[in-house]
Amino acid sequence: MVDTKAIEAAKEQFGKVLEQQLERVERIKIEADWTDYSALKPIVIGMIGGDGIGPTISAATQRVLELLLKDHVASGKVQFKTIEGLTIENRAAKLQSIPDDVLAEIKTCHVTLKGPTHTPEKGDGWPNIESANVRMRKELDLFANVRPVQIPKEGIDWTFYRENTEDLYAVGSQGVNVTDDLAIDFRVITSPGSERIIEAAFAHAKRTGKTSVTVVTKANVVKTTDGKFLDIAAKVSERYPGISWEGWYIDIMTAKLLDPKRRTDFQVLVLPNLYGDILTDEAAEIQGGVGTAGSANIGKVYAMFEAIHGSAPRMVKEGRDRYADPSSLLRAGAMLLDHIGFNDLGSKLSKAIEVCGMFEQRLKMTGRDTGADCDEFGDYILETVANPSLEERWAAYTGV
Ligand code: IPM
Ligand code: MG
């Protein structure tokens, strides 16, 4: 027996989702232009500690950024601001993924550097509120999740442009249990949403002298939404005659990231949200672990930079939080510097992270008292980033 009442209720819910999403499309069409950081004074950088190991790695990263930016802080070009309250305790108490007053504070900053925030899941003792990350990405319209992965000695230099607001994430908490037996989620891909992320990927390729863009979908099976993403890639590519592009399917892409003969061919990769979530964890693991990768969440008005790992509650419970490795947040800090126009400082910091964490390894982080702690590692980075020998030490490692 077909349950017509259940079908009607589901249709109603679907109708609401369609309304919301069509409104969102209209907002994207009229969105503001890119922020021009060169014209801003001060550029306000918000520091958000987050949960678990977040405050520890955030403090180490802030010390490094403050050193690198000290002249700009002195001249009034840059201002740091600390944002309190994006903690699981406060979020649970207010039953909001980002409490209103915290969100208002975040919006007073042009860019933020965010430590990991705990994402509640059913049964972990916290109310099952939406992920603070997902909320912030939607709220600030941070549509481009940029995740670079590099292994210079193996010739790997990938930049992932993961769409960050659509796909299964757009209405991830508004699926429908039509009956006890039938659950439906909604996958949302829009033309302007796809166009702006694909355009950002091609523009990045052009700006950085890359020659190819790889568009990853499953358009052979998911014909309507992934088909649209691919069609739009074809259209955008016409504006970039100097850059070649190719469509790849997510399954074979996942395999080919492990193929040493093929993987050095990939340069800039652009893909819908969920494929990007999964593929970037794989890529970070190839680089040396998810703890080694930084991540930028970029919109036209705001941008947020974060580690791609979580808050490591186990480390805190076992009293090991002071041994947390700040590398991933430091990398995010380097991306932040690049984004706001201090490319020379961003590049210095990236090199110092490589030299300290991957090449010289004068201090080893083991996550426990057998290795260095976060502050000691922070000092090592501080010493390296400010040292004229940085270029030489970097060249000894990479051969360039
Ligand atoms: C990431 C994370 C998030 C995501 C989680 C914490 C919601 O895995 O940034 O990749 O799925 O996007
Ligand atoms: Mg992820």
Side-chain angles (χ1 to χ4, degrees):
M1 257 289 280
V2 171
D3 184 343
T4 46
K5 248 194 174 153
I7 293 177
E8 285 313 312
K11 278 187 188 165
E12 198 178 312
Q13 167 99 12
F14 186 42
K16 281 189 202 138
V17 167
L18 296 182
E19 259 171 50
Q20 278 170 17
Q21 291 305 310
L22 285 172
E23 278 165 25
R24 196 174 66 81
V25 166
E26 292 311 312
R27 286 200 300 276
I28 299 178
K29 285 186 185 161
I30 55 161
E31 72 192 348
D33 214 349
W34 291 96
T35 297
D36 175 8
Y37 296 96
S38 68
L40 277 180
K41 194 172 178 183
I43 302 172
V44 182
I45 304 178
M47 298 294 300
I48 308 174
D51 296 315
I53 60 170
T56 308
I57 59 175
S58 184
T61 307
Q62 184 163 355
R63 282 200 294 140
V64 173
L65 291 184
E66 278 174 351
L67 174 78
L68 285 167
L69 289 168
K70 70 174 184 316
D71 294 344
H72 298 293
V73 171
S75 75
K77 172 74 183 170
V78 168
Q79 187 189 322
F80 283 93
K81 188 167 185 176
T82 303
I83 295 173
E84 312 279 357
L86 197 66
T87 59
I88 185 62
E89 292 79 11
N90 191 33
R91 288 151 58 216
K94 306 235 167 87
L95 280 183
Q96 284 186 304
S97 51
I98 305 178
D100 292 338
D101 56 334
V102 179
L103 185 61
E105 276 287 290
I106 290 173
K107 287 186 173 170
T108 65
C109 303
H110 300 103
V111 293
T112 47
L113 192 77
K114 186 180 83 48
T117 43
H118 179 68
T119 303
E121 58 182 47
K122 242 191 176 145
D124 72 354
W126 295 106
N128 199 8
I129 45 182
E130 190 184 21
S131 142
N133 271 22
V134 171
R135 172 92 194 284
M136 198 184 297
R137 291 167 184 170
K138 284 185 194 164
E139 197 65 51
L140 306 181
D141 203 16
L142 307 175
F143 66 87
N145 188 187
V146 185
R147 297 185 159 173
V149 165
Q150 286 156 345
I151 311 176
K153 16 173 221 236
E154 287 179 30
I156 290 178
D157 183 3
W158 301 324
T159 310
F160 294 87
Y161 272 73
R162 165 192 175 192
E163 203 292 323
N164 215 15
T165 51
E166 306 202 332
D167 190 358
L168 282 157
Y169 284 68
V171 278
S173 33
Q174 294 171 66
V176 195
N177 282 303
V178 181
T179 66
D180 279 348
D181 293 326
L182 178 63
I184 306 258
D185 266 310
F186 302 110
R187 183 166 200 258
V188 178
I189 297 283
T190 70
S191 297
S194 304
E195 182 156 353
R196 63 184 180 173
I197 185 73
I198 295 167
E199 171 70 36
F202 272 89
H204 172 83
K206 188 171 174 191
R207 197 168 53 240
T208 54
K210 302 276 162 61
T211 52
S212 87
V213 172
T214 306
V215 182
V216 186
T217 66
K218 187 72 187 177
N220 51 342
V221 176
V222 189
K223 293 186 190 295
T224 309
T225 47
D226 276 346
K228 175 180 280 302
F229 198 83
L230 208 50
D231 284 348
I232 290 178
K235 182 178 121 189
V236 171
S237 74
E238 286 170 15
R239 305 201 279 264
Y240 293 88
I243 293 170
S244 66
W245 78 282
E246 221 182 353
W248 278 70
Y249 297 133
I250 181 64
D251 50 349
I252 189 65
M253 188 75 237
T254 312
K256 287 299 160 188
L257 284 194
L258 298 175
D259 176 356
K261 292 187 298 298
R262 166 65 75 174
R263 64 182 175 186
T264 50
D265 294 347
F266 304 117
Q267 301 179 11
V268 180
L269 303 95
V270 61
L271 63 183
N273 207 336
L274 185 62
Y275 304 147
D277 179 43
I278 298 167
L279 202 66
T280 54
D281 264 15
E282 186 197 8
E285 192 64 27
I286 294 170
Q287 177 179 260
V290 290
T292 65
S295 168
N297 296 270
I298 295 174
K300 294 202 168 161
V301 179
Y302 296 104
M304 180 266 278
F305 299 80
E306 61 180 346
I308 84 165
H309 57 71
S311 60
R314 193 169 296 125
M315 284 190 89
V316 181
K317 218 168 97 199
E318 294 171 7
R320 294 186 288 114
D321 37 336
R322 59 177 276 222
Y323 298 103
D325 186 345
S327 299
S328 164
L329 202 61
L330 283 164
R331 275 185 207 272
M335 296 179 82
L336 183 153
L337 292 170
D338 259 342
H339 184 70
I340 60 176
F342 301 121
N343 306 69
D344 49 336
L345 299 178
S347 140
K348 259 193 184 179
L349 179 52
S350 298
K351 286 177 180 169
I353 298 165
E354 297 282 324
V355 166
C356 299
M358 297 179 94
F359 175 45
E360 292 179 357
Q361 299 187 328
R362 246 187 260 154
L363 291 181
K364 280 226 185 216
M365 302 296 294
T366 60
R368 44 193 81 234
D369 60 9
T370 50
D373 72 16
C374 181
D375 276 352
E376 288 161 345
F377 191 78
D379 288 343
Y380 182 22
I381 295 273
L382 277 177
E383 179 276 319
T384 305
V385 88
N387 198 312
S389 68
L390 174 61
E391 286 298 327
E392 247 169 65
R393 287 154 76 187
W394 160 255
Y397 168 41
T398 56
V400 285

